[in-house]
Amino acid sequence: MSTILEKIAQIESEMARTQRNKATAGHLGLLKARLAKLRRELITPKGGGGASEQGFEVSKTGDARVGFVGFPSVGKSTLLSNLAGVYSEVAAYEFTTLTTVPGCIKYKGAKIQLLDLPGIIEGAKDGKGRGRQVIAVARTCNLIFMVLDVLKPLTHKKLLEHELEGFGLRLNKQPPNISFRKKDKGGVNLNATVAQSELDLDTVKTILGEYKIHNADITLKYDATADDLIDVIEGNRIYIPCIYLLNKIDQISIEELDVIYKIPHCVPISAHHHWNFDDLLEMMWKYLQLVRIYTKPKGQLPDYSSPIVLHHEHTSVESFCNKLHRTIAKEFKYALVWGSSVKHQPQKVGIDHVLNDEDVVQIVKKV
């Protein structure tokens, strides 16, 4: 393991020494590609994945999963205890939580699983502490709560983002708009729909050469960077929304609080005093983008107490049927829908119809 870490350190120091200009773009691209490959080796060591070590892998329950990430002693355990009523050991010393502690809350009819992950330490992406297992579990979450101490938030925020980026997690980002297709012959074909400031054909060929790819079609649909191209080639990046929770706001002034409220993706809270939990849960709901669908049995009123919760990417009537029971889609004839996804109330729709939040659905089966 130390040899990989040494290689990573050598490449990072060489990148720090290299001046950034047109002439060095290809060399820097090559170094970045090498770095990405070494990091991948570190995350997935030969002989299996790193997440299933004792106490880390927690079975997925509920409609969505939220992971708490942060340095030790920022208040993650207190927050979980106060949000979900789960006892996670809390103390004033560091590294109290040593395994993943699950909790569950019900919000707007959806069950949300909360995971208090052990504190990340600097160097986690390079295998220090239990960082690899922690981040492997974080990769399975639908949303990350990055818990920060309000008295030192920005330094910690940068360090944590650096650790998570090293593990292929991209926070509050969209996948790069780059189409990449390997082929058997014909060399490297590069098309760009807008002018490129960093990538040219030579740089792209250099990066692809590091992956032993000599024939590919690449289309850049925006001004892309070498890092974006490497992310697409690696193909194992995970794009997760993240909310920064600035904890311990009972220790700062109102003026400072006003400034904090202007930081994007941030919610100031006090886990100890239960302050501002309403804002936090509302923002969590917005970032999870869950869709609630109510069922209506024939001749009865809709059941508003327990909605079927779908993810915003899969909100068709078919997804709704599959969530109810796998056999329903096979017997499906049509559905009656009330709500904002249809013009008439009710409206007869097919299995591909896309539903909106809080629609009411009645399934009619084939006789």
Side-chain angles (χ1 to χ4, degrees):
M1 187 67 78
S2 62
T3 53
I4 295 181
L5 293 179
E6 282 163 14
K7 284 179 189 169
I8 286 175
Q10 282 168 3
I11 291 174
E12 283 181 336
S13 68
E14 190 177 342
M15 282 169 70
R17 287 197 308 269
T18 307
Q19 278 191 319
R20 290 169 183 272
N21 54 44
K22 269 282 184 211
T24 61
H27 181 60
L28 278 169
L30 178 70
L31 292 176
K32 283 176 178 175
R34 279 188 190 152
L35 198 58
K37 280 171 71 182
L38 288 168
R39 288 253 165 83
R40 174 161 33 101
E41 277 180 55
L42 211 55
I43 301 168
T44 50
K46 291 169 181 63
S52 57
E53 278 192 38
Q54 196 60 40
F56 271 83
E57 208 31 63
V58 175
S59 58
K60 219 168 182 174
T61 61
D63 301 304
R65 187 179 236 194
V66 177
F68 292 35
V69 170
F71 281 113
S73 286
V74 289
K76 298 193 302 298
S77 301
T78 309
L79 182 61
L80 181 75
S81 303
N82 291 343
L83 270 178
V86 172
Y87 180 71
S88 174
E89 197 178 328
V90 178
Y93 55 86
E94 300 197 339
F95 296 104
T96 325
T97 306
L98 297 171
T99 60
T100 304
V101 179
C104 193
I105 56 168
K106 212 163 180 198
Y107 188 68
K108 295 194 177 185
K111 277 192 188 136
I112 316 283
Q113 186 183 35
L114 305 175
L115 296 181
D116 176 13
L117 301 171
I120 286 181
I121 57 171
E122 206 176 332
K125 68 182 185 313
D126 303 328
K128 281 189 192 166
R130 306 198 71 176
R132 182 186 295 146
Q133 300 97 306
V134 174
I135 299 179
V137 177
R139 283 171 70 95
T140 67
C141 295
N142 306 98
L143 171 67
I144 297 286
F145 277 176
M146 190 180 286
V147 188
L148 302 163
D149 189 325
V150 75
L151 300 172
K152 42 189 171 188
L154 293 174
T155 48
H156 275 186
K157 179 174 176 280
K158 278 202 176 74
L159 287 168
L160 278 167
E161 283 172 345
H162 185 61
E163 294 300 324
L164 296 173
E165 289 264 322
F167 266 93
L169 281 167
R170 302 288 178 260
L171 305 177
N172 296 326
K173 286 182 183 173
Q174 293 298 318
N177 195 0
I178 296 174
S179 72
F180 166 71
R181 190 174 65 86
K182 284 193 220 176
K183 52 188 187 178
D184 297 328
K185 53 187 181 188
V188 174
N189 229 335
L190 178 67
N191 294 308
T193 55
V194 295
Q196 298 294 313
S197 58
E198 190 175 320
L199 292 176
D200 55 25
L201 186 58
D202 289 339
T203 308
V204 169
K205 278 184 174 172
T206 307
I207 292 170
L208 290 175
E210 181 59 29
Y211 287 94
K212 298 186 170 53
I213 298 169
H214 306 293
N215 303 291
D217 288 332
I218 293 171
T219 307
L220 307 173
K221 297 169 187 172
Y222 68 110
D223 187 5
T225 64
D227 291 316
D228 295 338
L229 178 60
I230 290 164
D231 280 356
V232 171
I233 298 167
E234 283 279 337
N236 62 352
R237 305 304 190 226
I238 298 211
Y239 298 84
I240 300 185
C242 175
I243 299 175
Y244 303 100
L245 311 188
L246 297 179
N247 191 20
K248 307 181 186 177
I249 54 168
D250 46 317
Q251 299 176 16
I252 60 168
S253 67
I254 295 290
E255 290 76 27
E256 287 171 306
L257 197 56
D258 289 341
V259 173
I260 285 167
Y261 253 116
K262 291 175 183 151
I263 305 171
H265 314 295
C266 263
V267 182
I269 59 158
S270 168
H272 183 67
H273 295 290
H274 296 231
W275 290 355
N276 212 21
F277 280 11
D278 290 350
D279 266 15
L280 167 60
L281 292 170
E282 199 48 57
M283 198 163 178
M284 173 191 79
W285 183 258
K286 185 177 145 194
Y287 278 52
L288 283 172
Q289 293 181 287
L290 296 176
V291 174
R292 294 158 295 174
I293 309 297
Y294 302 111
T295 54
K296 182 188 178 304
K298 193 175 178 186
Q300 294 175 37
L301 288 169
D303 177 10
Y304 290 114
S305 61
S306 49
I308 300 295
V309 179
L310 305 174
H311 287 270
H312 68 102
E313 291 159 2
H314 308 286
T315 59
S316 66
V317 173
E318 186 174 10
S319 302
F320 170 73
C321 290
N322 290 337
K323 194 90 190 259
L324 281 171
H325 199 278
R326 277 172 301 195
T327 58
I328 291 178
K330 291 174 190 163
E331 301 165 357
F332 179 88
K333 189 177 180 188
Y334 63 86
L336 291 171
V337 177
W338 292 257
S340 59
S341 70
V342 290
K343 286 180 183 172
H344 312 293
Q345 311 293 332
Q347 188 169 317
K348 206 169 168 178
V349 300
I351 202 154
D352 295 329
H353 177 76
V354 175
L355 299 164
N356 287 352
D357 190 30
E358 300 203 271
D359 277 0
V360 173
V361 177
Q362 180 183 322
I363 302 289
V364 178
K365 296 181 184 177
K366 294 173 189 161
V367 181

